[in-house]
Amino acid sequence: MYKDYKAHRPPPPDDLIPQFPLIRDAVRAFEIPCIEKSGYEADDLIATYARIACEAGATATIVSSDKDLMQLVNECVIMYDTMKDVRIGVPEVIEKFGVPPAKVIEVQALIGDFNGQCAGRPRYGVKTAAQLIGEFGDLETLLKRAGEIKQDKRRQTLLDNAEAARISKKLVTLDDKVPLEVPVENLGVREPDYRALIAFPQGDGIQNTDATCGR
């Protein structure tokens, strides 16, 4: 869709690459599902599981501070930022973006994404983008009614970068319809595999000063 998507990101450090299989083995030893799917980003899997949880009448907590995931926040989905020890609900999303979670992607399309290197233009500030979306409702309506924008520079910036804004919106919109190989019913909390936990650090050459595990 966009050939420069995250193209600026450097490859992972050499000493990080061998850790990928280790973290998979570690979470499996704790009986925590380790889910991956080729062709999809983790955020898409999270979006899909969160949707299914809501439809089933459950609640979901997304452990992350990633702003792209804030579009998923609603009455049954919250986020938890472990670094700041804060919960992110609808009020916190509105405080950050100036709009409810359902409108976050509309604002992001106008702000642009410097970290993810989305198309990014027209790159309004959060306050301006939220004001425009609050007034016009969504990106397409805003583009159709661009002539109503009173500020000449603001109007021309939008018109000059209309297609880039559309691409940016597509790139930040999460896919919540991923075909899942692991059903949500399999994600229940289980007792850790204590034998695997004891064997894991020893088997992978990791120094472990306390090899006891138990309840």
Side-chain angles (χ1 to χ4, degrees), residues 26 33 38-39 55 69 74 82 94 96 98 117 146 153 158 167 173-174 181 183 188 194-195 206:
S38 178
E55 291 174 352
L69 290 166
N74 55 36
T82 56
I94 293 174
K96 182 176 180 63
Q117 288 297 293
K153 184 177 180 180
L158 178 66
I167 293 174
T173 300
L174 301 183
E181 298 172 5
Y194 295 109
R195 292 180 181 275
I206 300 172

Side-chain angles (χ1 to χ4, degrees), residues 51-207:
R51 174 184 59 79
I52 293 172
C54 290
E55 291 174 352
T59 59
T61 299
I62 300 171
V63 183
S64 175
S65 60
D66 188 343
K67 65 183 185 302
D68 290 347
L69 290 166
M70 293 184 183
Q71 63 189 266
L72 302 177
V73 172
N74 55 36
E75 296 78 11
C76 74
V77 178
I78 65 168
M79 293 173 61
Y80 176 55
D81 182 347
T82 56
M83 300 299 292
K84 297 180 179 178
D85 190 24
V86 297
R87 294 184 181 276
I88 303 168
V90 173
E92 288 75 22
V93 175
I94 293 174
E95 181 180 355
K96 182 176 180 63
F97 283 101
V99 295
K103 298 288 185 180
V104 164
I105 58 174
E106 311 291 344
V107 170
Q108 283 184 298
L110 297 177
I111 295 173
D113 184 348
F114 292 95
N115 293 324
Q117 288 297 293
C118 293
R121 299 178 180 180
R123 292 180 180 171
Y124 291 119
V126 175
K127 186 175 181 180
T128 299
Q131 179 184 347
L132 289 169
I133 295 303
E135 181 178 353
F136 293 94
D138 57 59
L139 177 62
E140 285 304 320
T141 301
L142 174 61
L143 292 173
K144 291 176 182 177
R145 298 171 56 188
E148 298 177 30
I149 300 175
K150 297 179 181 179
Q151 299 88 342
D152 293 341
K153 184 177 180 180
R154 186 180 296 182
R155 180 176 62 253
Q156 196 58 47
T157 297
L158 178 66
L159 293 173
D160 290 344
N161 298 283
E163 191 56 33
R166 288 188 175 102
I167 293 174
S168 185
K169 179 180 175 179
K170 289 180 180 179
L171 292 175
V172 299
T173 300
L174 301 183
D175 182 359
D176 67 353
K177 299 293 193 301
V178 177
L180 301 175
E181 298 172 5
V182 180
V184 70
E185 292 81 7
N186 290 13
L187 306 189
V189 178
R190 297 182 177 86
E191 278 286 304
D193 183 341
Y194 295 109
R195 292 180 181 275
L197 287 174
I198 294 172
F200 166 69
Q202 297 174 349
D204 288 290
I206 300 172
Q207 294 298 319

